[in-house]
Amino acid sequence: MTVPSIPVPLAVEQARSRLDELTVIDVRTPGEYASGHLPGALNIPLDRVGQALPEIRHAAERGEVLVVCASGGRSAKACVYLARQGVAAATLTGGTGAWAAAGHELHRPTACETPTGWSMERQVRFTAGTLVLLGLALGLLVHPALLILPAGVAGGLVFSALTDTCGMAVLLGKLPHNRPRAARLDATLETLRSR
């Protein structure tokens, strides 16, 4: 079987009607996943997909794999990576945001399981805004040369938009609250093995 190198998009309604037969993998950070995910979705952050490749391959041999994220960007990257490894996977068009906008239910872990976190987009906006305000305050109160900080953040945001990458999100993704605990990831991989 040839695996398409371009991610196969699956519309929200198509995914909803076939949800019981799909293995859904959410590649967002654990904090984002905890804020709401598709019913039955398993959390394997994008940077851990390589580690989970044997289990994902096993799931793909038994049925179709659907990869989701917030808006579709990270899931498309995961699908391209999986395709290079010979694993076919579809991506949810518009991601979890489109799922929620269509009025479909999002599951949230109970408070004792996982603390609810901010989406990566919200974390990036907060951090960028804080750095700009800090740079402006330091530039006005300490030394005008410190205005380079907000200028650098603005330049980074423009670069991010032009290249459709986000270095700040990569850095924020490495913070402890955005990283899965080993035990939680192990449990997810065990669930995939048993499918």
Side-chain angles (χ1 to χ4, degrees):
M1 171 173 104
T2 4
V3 176
S5 59
I6 298 172
V8 176
L10 199 60
V12 169
E13 293 309 319
Q14 290 174 304
R16 183 171 180 257
S17 68
R18 300 180 48 217
L19 200 57
D20 293 340
E21 59 193 61
L22 297 169
T23 296
V24 182
I25 297 173
D26 191 320
V27 295
R28 297 176 299 158
T29 66
E32 292 175 289
Y33 175 80
S35 69
H37 55 271
L38 270 68
L42 300 169
N43 185 218
I44 302 175
L46 182 59
D47 64 346
R48 299 289 185 97
V49 169
Q51 180 182 346
L53 184 59
E55 289 81 4
I56 297 171
R57 179 175 280 121
H58 175 74
E61 289 168 357
R62 303 177 132 232
E64 194 171 351
V65 172
L66 176 65
V67 183
V68 300
C69 66
S71 61
R74 286 177 279 178
S75 61
K77 287 178 186 175
C79 287
V80 167
Y81 170 79
L82 291 171
R84 288 184 186 141
Q85 306 306 314
V87 178
T91 181
L92 181 65
T93 304
T96 308
W99 180 272
H104 303 310
E105 177 185 15
L106 291 176
H107 284 198
R108 290 172 177 80
T110 59
C112 62
E113 286 179 45
T114 306
T116 301
W118 285 1
S119 71
M120 185 56 67
E121 179 187 359
R122 186 176 180 191
Q123 292 179 53
V124 167
R125 287 192 320 248
F126 177 79
T127 304
T130 300
L131 289 173
V132 168
L133 288 175
L134 178 65
L136 288 173
L138 291 173
L140 294 172
L141 301 173
V142 178
H143 193 278
L146 294 173
L147 291 173
I148 192 79
L149 179 60
V153 172
L157 291 171
V158 169
F159 179 78
S160 175
L162 292 174
T163 60
D164 197 23
T165 61
C166 188
M168 190 179 291
V170 170
L171 291 174
L172 290 171
K174 297 190 182 304
L175 292 175
H177 67 277
N178 284 326
R179 307 285 304 158
R181 291 190 189 127
R184 206 171 281 139
L185 184 60
D186 289 344
T188 299
L189 297 180
E190 186 57 41
T191 301
L192 269 178
R193 281 185 213 108
S194 67
R195 288 195 175 187

